[in-house]
Amino acid sequence: MTNLIDTAANSNQPLTMSSKEIAELLDVRHDNVCTSIKRLQKRQLIQCSTSLEEKFGSGRPATIYHLEKRDSYIVVAQLSPEFTARLVDRWQELEEQVQQGFQVPQNFREALLLAANQQEQIDQQQKVITEQAPKVEALQRLEMSDGSLCITDAAKTLNVQPKKLFTFMHKHRWIYRRHGSPWIGHEDKIRLGYLEHSHTTVTRADGSEKTTSQVRVTPKGLARLAEMLNSSSAA
């Protein structure tokens, strides 16, 4: 494996992992990793720095992305959740290599403390993975929709029965209805960008016009619903 550890041990810079090493860990194409990183970065879900890797001959320099621990988890979990364990192991290796440059146990007590700290780091990493799982699935749901959806189509995308989604959204104060009226989105959910209303004007047979309104779920709302449904089913 290419050694792409940044020089955190010799500076105040945080330890990062490159997109190239992530591609090697997952055995996937580097450009696929970069595409995922750019997509998540555009949505302001992760942050990263970049560098250029020179190519031999006339090839154009390749852009390499450098991510800190939290952001690398999100990228890998979206690309290949089953390989997240590889990332945890690799981060542990990197942190141990940096730690060895600063701290060498001088006695049995210090060795025990070091082992306890390492186990705590592993536990924290696993906690991050567990907490991110619903958000990762929500992102995957988000990828399936480019625009807003009616609640029935949103239910199909979320793989739940439409009746169940209507009930869930009503129970959690996303939608409500007055007597004889269509469903209406709660104002706070509209302000958050989770819901919107579409208005359609139709012409009656007598020539008069009628405007109908329909509540629709935005991509942002779809991702939030996926996260809430996952949390609800896990409870």
Side-chain angles (χ1 to χ4, degrees), residues 65-110:
Y65 295 86
H66 302 273
L67 302 98
E68 294 185 32
K69 184 191 297 185
R70 169 197 174 274
D71 297 330
S72 69
Y73 286 149
I74 295 175
V75 172
V76 171
Q78 187 177 33
L79 282 168
S80 186
E82 64 270 23
F83 288 127
T84 307
R86 292 188 185 180
L87 185 70
V88 173
D89 293 340
R90 182 57 179 154
W91 268 112
Q92 187 177 351
E93 290 176 6
L94 299 183
E95 290 171 340
E96 286 176 352
Q97 290 177 31
V98 173
Q99 190 177 46
Q100 287 171 4
F102 290 103
Q103 179 182 358
V104 177
Q106 300 298 313
N107 52 51
F108 182 66
R109 178 179 177 277
E110 290 184 2

Side-chain angles (χ1 to χ4, degrees), residues 67-168:
L67 302 98
E68 294 185 32
K69 184 191 297 185
R70 169 197 174 274
D71 297 330
S72 69
Y73 286 149
I74 295 175
V75 172
V76 171
Q78 187 177 33
L79 282 168
S80 186
E82 64 270 23
F83 288 127
T84 307
R86 292 188 185 180
L87 185 70
V88 173
D89 293 340
R90 182 57 179 154
W91 268 112
Q92 187 177 351
E93 290 176 6
L94 299 183
E95 290 171 340
E96 286 176 352
Q97 290 177 31
V98 173
Q99 190 177 46
Q100 287 171 4
F102 290 103
Q103 179 182 358
V104 177
Q106 300 298 313
N107 52 51
F108 182 66
R109 178 179 177 277
E110 290 184 2
L112 287 177
L113 288 174
L114 178 58
N117 289 336
Q118 290 176 343
Q119 184 59 50
E120 183 180 359
Q121 291 176 3
I122 294 173
D123 293 342
Q124 289 176 348
Q125 290 166 353
Q126 187 59 50
K127 181 181 178 182
V128 170
I129 294 171
T130 302
E131 290 176 347
Q132 290 295 330
K135 296 180 182 180
V136 170
E137 185 163 348
L139 286 172
Q140 293 172 339
R141 299 294 189 190
L142 180 61
E143 291 297 322
M144 299 169 65
S145 174
D146 294 327
S148 63
L149 300 172
C150 68
I151 297 178
T152 299
D153 288 341
K156 294 177 182 177
T157 302
L158 295 168
N159 197 28
V160 298
Q161 292 293 326
K163 182 178 179 180
K164 177 180 177 181
L165 184 59
F166 275 102
T167 301
F168 183 88

Side-chain angles (χ1 to χ4, degrees), residues 182-183 197-204 209-216:
W183 288 103
H197 286 105
S198 68
H199 302 281
T200 303
T201 301
V202 296
T203 303
R204 297 188 180 98
E209 293 185 341
K210 176 185 178 181
T211 300
T212 60
S213 178
Q214 181 187 55
V215 61
R216 298 178 68 86

